[in-house]
Amino acid sequence: MLRFEKLSRFDRLQEPCSAAIPFARGLLGDASRFVVLDGDRPLPTQSMVTAAWPDGSVRWLHVEFLVDLPANEGKSLRWRCDGEPSPLPAPAAGVLRTDAGLSLDSGVAVLHLGLPGNPDPLPGLAAGPLRLGPGELRGPILIDESGSEWPAVVDADGWSILREGPVHTVVEATGKHRNPAGDGLLDFRLRCHAFAGKPWFQVDHRLIHREDVPRITVKGWVLRVRPARPPEDVRTALGISNYKTRVRHGHGDQRLWHCIDAEQLVYESNEQVPEVHYGTFWADWSAPGRGGLCVTVYQAQQNFPKALAV
């Protein structure tokens, strides 16, 4: 039995979920026969064996699935080990392979992946009417103490596919942040996730210190989105929450900005467990006929300082 407590006051449709499930020896021989059930309805499920018994049966199974979670209610699911192979989600997640390289596809949105040596590891994005091409989506970029920019440059090995499945696909690249002269500053590991049917991507960026000096000060980390020829009727919003979400709205060239730092947090009360439920932090850009883009920083309050400008 899998039990979900109340998550939101809104319905969460096809919510991506995961679980690690142990099995007794000999109980599950074929991972494809494991199916998560919502009542009697099998859910799109993607499974990966992470440990096996000496007889080859599954000992631990990592399961990812899509489930409809109701507003203001909990929900219970069950599973079977002798069912038919799980139904595939529609649309499914995966990797697109073209002459121009790889792209990460959620079925409704596509994130283009940069070629080795390109200072834009994520050179484009397409989701509905929104189209961002080279130069419009930049980063990740490090900014040093002098204000110089060091874009992330993917190394010669390019992108590797860590996991490709109909529910959740993960790609990864490594490299170094480099200035225009080719000098390097900190290695990185960039991991991108796509979930079936979702118009968003998760991007994880890890800095790795392998330099000769013991200490490096980074003034900033930037993901920059600048659509070319933005229309005059651009609408923007910036939201931050603790007990409730506070949203500021702007338009045109008006700039909205907020920084979460120690000075703010020391005076901010919080009833929740800080490592689990604190709040959200997001910025939104949209224009009629062109679509929009929202960026959120994961656990910004726990990993401060963090800032957003739109």
Side-chain angles (χ1 to χ4, degrees), residues 132-296:
L132 297 174
E136 296 180 287
L137 179 60
R138 299 291 315 278
I141 300 170
L142 293 186
I143 301 177
D144 64 17
E145 289 182 287
S146 69
S148 298
E149 295 190 351
W150 302 74
V153 179
V154 175
D155 62 25
D157 293 333
W159 292 86
S160 58
I161 301 172
L162 301 186
R163 187 183 314 164
E164 186 172 11
V167 172
H168 182 198
T169 293
V170 187
V171 296
E172 180 182 88
T174 58
K176 203 172 190 72
H177 299 88
R178 299 190 181 278
N179 63 12
D183 303 320
L185 178 71
L186 294 176
D187 292 8
F188 70 87
R189 186 178 303 275
L190 191 63
R191 187 171 290 184
C192 302
H193 305 250
F195 296 87
K198 299 303 177 183
W200 47 263
F201 299 95
Q202 176 183 325
V203 178
D204 304 322
H205 180 246
R206 175 176 294 179
L207 299 179
I208 303 169
H209 187 354
R210 296 192 179 113
E211 310 303 314
D212 294 332
V213 295
R215 182 182 178 89
I216 294 175
T217 299
V218 176
K219 182 180 179 181
W221 177 100
V222 177
L223 181 67
R224 184 177 295 137
V225 182
R226 287 181 175 167
R229 299 181 304 280
E232 295 180 357
D233 51 354
V234 166
R235 297 190 294 257
T236 59
L238 193 149
I240 181 171
S241 72
N242 185 11
Y243 295 100
K244 63 179 181 179
T245 303
R246 305 179 298 280
V247 182
R248 287 184 287 148
H249 297 275
H251 64 277
D253 293 333
Q254 181 181 359
R255 184 175 186 265
L256 305 177
W257 181 84
H258 186 87
C259 179
I260 297 173
D261 58 14
E263 184 177 356
Q264 172 196 315
L265 292 176
V266 73
Y267 296 110
E268 184 173 89
S269 58
N270 175 36
E271 290 181 340
Q272 306 291 341
V273 179
E275 292 77 17
V276 180
H277 288 138
Y278 197 125
T280 188
F281 189 35
W282 53 264
D284 184 85
W285 182 101
S286 65
R290 180 151 190 191
L293 181 69
C294 184
V295 175
T296 183

Side-chain angles (χ1 to χ4, degrees), residues 14 66 89-93 105-109 166-167 194-200:
Q14 294 293 280
L66 303 174
D105 185 7
S106 72
V108 295
V167 172
F195 296 87
K198 299 303 177 183
W200 47 263

Side-chain angles (χ1 to χ4, degrees), residues 10-22:
F10 302 104
D11 288 331
R12 302 290 286 265
L13 302 180
Q14 294 293 280
E15 185 75 8
C17 300
S18 64
I21 302 175

